[in-house]
Amino acid sequence: MPSTFVEKIFNAPAGSIVFQRPDLILTHDNTGSIRKTFEKMGGQDLHDPDQLVVVLDHNAPPTNAALANTYQSIRDFVGEQGVSKFHDAGSGICHQIMARYAKPGMVIVGSDSHTCTSGAFNALAAGIDRTEAAGLWLRGETWFRVPESLKITVKGSLKQGVYAKDLSLWIIGMLGSAGANYMSIEYHGDGVKTLSISDRMTLANLASEMGAKNAVFPSDQVLHDYLGEKAEGVWADEGASYGREIEIDLAEVYPLVAAPHHVDNVMALAEVAGLDIQQGMIGTCTNGRIEDLREAAFILKGNKVKAGVQLLIIPASREIYLQAIQEGLLTIFLEAGANVLSSSCGPCLGTGQGIPADNQRIISSANRNFLGRMGNKNAEIYLASPAAVALSAIKGKISDPRIGNGAEKYPFRKQQSGSISIEQGEQRRHNEVWGYGDIDDLNTDQMFAGNLTYEVQSSDPEAIIPHLFEGFDESFSSEVKEGDIILGGDNFGCGSSREHPSVGLAHMGVKAVIVKSVNRIFYRSAVNQGLPLIVLPEAVDAYHQGDKVQIDFATGIVTVGEKQFNFEPLPGKLLEILEMKGLVNWIRNQ
C-alpha cells in the first residue's frame, strides 16, 4: 500500500503502536528535573550520550540563584556523562540550535512542545514530556502511535508584506487549535519551493498550535542548498491515504493576527488595525532568525519606536546575533530605540526580561498568546509577523506592513470558548466531580504557570500541588481531594509540554480525567504519571452539576447519573504503566 511520510518512518500503518529508537533526544532547562526522574528510575549512566542534545535557553542567563544552581548542575551532569552536544546559556534557543543537527529521515524527540520545528529538515520531530525523556536516557527507545496524516498542498507564492507567520495563522485559524490533533502534517505542492528554510521552520514550529504530532517538508533542492549536500530523506508515496487534505493558494493569504487569548482566535490584521499597543516582541523559536530580523530592520531603519512603547528583539542564536551585528541590523535596532536581549526564550513564557505591565497590549512574533503567557495575566497578547510587530512599534498601534492597508475579514473565524477562567467564589466541585466540561482549550499555562516551570521541579509533586490550576480556578489546589474526577472540554491540556499538571494531579490521587478531546502531549504525560485519562465526549456532555460519576476500569464503563458510557481500554504496555502508577515505577520493575 502507498504510505505517508510518517508510515514510512515507522514502517507501520496509521494507528499502530511501535517502539523505536530516536536519533536525537532534545532537552533544555528541564534537564535538571529530568535527571532527578532518571535517578528515580534507577538510572546512573546514560544509555547513549550521543543521542542527547542539551541546550540552556529558557532562563538564559539565569534570573536568580536557584536557577543558576540548576544551570550549574546541568553543566556538571553533561560533563560527567560525556554529552558532546551541549550548548550553554547564550548559545541560542534549542529549536534553532537543532538546525545544526536535524537531518532528513531522522526521528527526533524533545521535552518541549515545539520540537516539531525540526520537521523543516525532513525529520520526524515530536514533543514528549520530561518523564518520557528520562526513560529514553535510560533505555534509548520509546513508544509511538503512528498518526493519521494531513496533506496541505500550497500553490503560488506569498505576496509582498505577507509572511510565513501569516500562512501559519491562516492554517491554524482554518483548522482550530485541535484541528490536527495527533496528526502528521505534510506540506506538498509547487508553492513549497517558494518557502525558505526559515519559512519552513516557522510553519513546522506552529504545527504544535494545531495539536499536531509533527509537520514535515520534503527533502528538496531548497533543503539541499541549505545543507550544502543532497540528502535523499523520506517522503510520501503517490496515492497515500490521508485523514484530511486541504489546498491553499498562497497569493490569497494576507496579514493576520491571533487575538487574545488563544492562538486560533485568528483575525485579519485589518480587523484590528489601529488598536494601541504598549509593547512589541520580535524573536523566539518561531521568528527569531536572520530573515525575521532583516524584515524588522527594513521597517525600523530611519524610524523611532514610539514613545511609551517598548520593543524587544531577541535573536534566536548567537550565530544569528553575530550575523545581525555584521549586517548592521543591531545598529538599526538600537538607533530606533529597541532593546536587544540575549538569545533566549525568556520573554515568550514570562521567565526572563520583558514581562508586561497590567492592562498592556503586546504584539509579538511568538507562538502563544494564552492568558498570562508572558508572565502577567492582566495583559493581552496579539501574535503577528515580525514586520507587523516592527511597524506597530513605530506607530504605537497595530499596523499593516503592506504598502496600502487592506480591508479583509478572515473567513474561518472560530467560536472561542465562552469562559477561560472560573470566577472567584464559583464552586465547580460537586460530589467529588470537578465540572469543567464547558471549558475548551484549557491549557497548561493555566494549569501551572509558565514562570514557575523552572522555579518548581516537575520531580517535586508536593511543591507543584499549591499552584495547580492557579491561573484558572483559584479554589482548585486547596479543595481537590484524593478520588476526585475531573471533567474537561475539548483540547484539554493544550499548549506547553510541561508535565507539572499531570504530576500534581496524579500525586493528589485524582481518580481520572474525562474529556471531550485531549492534547497529544498531555495524554502521553497523563499515562506516564499513572493518571487515567479517558476521552469520552458523550459522558462529559451528559453531566449535570451534582451528578455522581463512577468509573469501572475493568469493564470500561463510565456512569454519569443514571446513564452508562463505554470506553476503550489502553493497549497492553500502556495499561501496565497506569497500573504501576507511572512510567518511573514501570521502568524500575522491568
Side-chain angles (χ1 to χ4, degrees), residues 144-432:
F144 295 88
R145 178 182 175 276
V146 183
E148 286 191 306
S149 294
L150 165 64
K151 182 179 183 180
I152 299 180
T153 301
V154 292
K155 62 181 183 179
S157 58
L158 297 169
K159 290 182 175 178
Q160 178 272 335
V162 183
Y163 303 92
K165 183 60 163 286
D166 299 306
L167 175 58
S168 298
L169 294 177
W170 183 279
I171 298 167
I172 292 168
M174 179 187 294
L175 297 177
S177 58
N181 205 12
Y182 229 119
M183 299 186 86
S184 171
I185 299 174
E186 295 177 5
Y187 282 94
H188 292 254
D190 61 12
V192 167
K193 67 177 181 291
T194 71
L195 300 171
S196 68
I197 296 301
S198 177
D199 293 335
R200 297 177 187 195
M201 289 178 75
T202 296
L203 285 155
N205 177 277
L206 284 160
S208 176
E209 310 315 320
M210 310 170 203
K213 185 188 192 86
N214 70 290
V216 66
F217 285 84
S219 182
D220 60 2
Q221 193 59 50
V222 174
L223 182 57
H224 302 164
D225 292 344
Y226 179 89
L227 296 173
E229 60 181 2
K230 186 171 183 179
E232 288 302 320
V234 175
W235 200 235
D237 295 323
E238 285 288 334
S241 178
Y242 292 92
R244 184 176 178 184
E245 298 185 37
I246 60 176
E247 186 174 296
I248 298 171
D249 183 345
L250 298 182
E252 294 179 357
V253 179
Y254 41 77
L256 296 165
V257 300
H261 291 286
H262 206 69
V263 71
D264 66 3
N265 191 18
V266 175
M267 306 171 71
L269 187 147
E271 296 179 77
V272 295
L275 285 178
D276 290 340
I277 59 113
Q278 290 76 42
Q279 182 165 309
M281 185 175 77
I282 297 169
T284 80
C285 58
T286 310
N287 283 115
R289 282 169 284 283
I290 193 67
E291 293 86 349
D292 302 310
L293 303 188
R294 287 170 183 157
E295 290 164 11
F298 178 78
I299 290 170
L300 288 166
K301 188 172 184 179
N303 290 301
K304 294 284 187 185
V305 173
K306 185 171 182 179
V309 174
Q310 179 173 239
L311 176 61
L312 309 177
I313 299 177
I314 310 102
S317 72
R318 179 174 285 134
E319 286 74 18
I320 293 170
Y321 207 123
L322 286 167
Q323 189 173 353
I325 292 172
Q326 291 158 5
E327 294 184 14
L329 306 185
L330 261 63
T331 300
I332 294 170
F333 297 151
L334 295 173
E335 287 181 346
N339 294 309
V340 183
L341 307 183
S342 178
S343 298
S344 75
C345 306
C348 178
L349 69 160
T351 59
Q353 297 171 303
I355 295 173
D358 289 351
N359 304 314
Q360 285 195 338
R361 182 178 293 123
I362 303 96
I363 185 166
S364 165
S365 73
N367 43 46
R368 290 188 177 131
N369 61 342
F370 300 145
L371 185 69
R373 173 68 183 178
M374 289 183 66
N376 187 346
K377 65 181 181 180
N378 297 315
E380 59 180 37
I381 306 165
Y382 285 74
L383 304 180
S385 71
V389 175
L391 187 61
S392 299
I394 293 167
K395 294 184 176 293
K397 57 187 66 179
I398 296 178
S399 302
D400 193 325
R402 293 172 296 182
I403 298 170
N405 294 327
E408 303 92 352
K409 288 194 174 182
Y410 183 65
F412 307 112
R413 288 300 307 278
K414 179 181 180 294
Q415 181 68 37
Q416 297 294 298
S417 182
S419 175
I420 56 173
S421 62
I422 303 302
E423 294 293 328
Q424 193 166 6
E426 184 182 351
Q427 180 57 256
R428 288 296 184 107
R429 183 181 186 270
H430 299 274
N431 283 334
E432 302 179 325

Side-chain angles (χ1 to χ4, degrees), residues 127 228 441 542:
D441 305 313

Side-chain angles (χ1 to χ4, degrees), residues 102 119 128 137 169 217 261 275 286 455 482 491 511 583-584:
I128 57 174
W137 286 5
L169 294 177
F217 285 84
H261 291 286
L275 285 178
T286 310
E455 299 277 354
E482 183 177 354
N491 202 23
K511 186 173 183 178
L583 189 64
V584 171

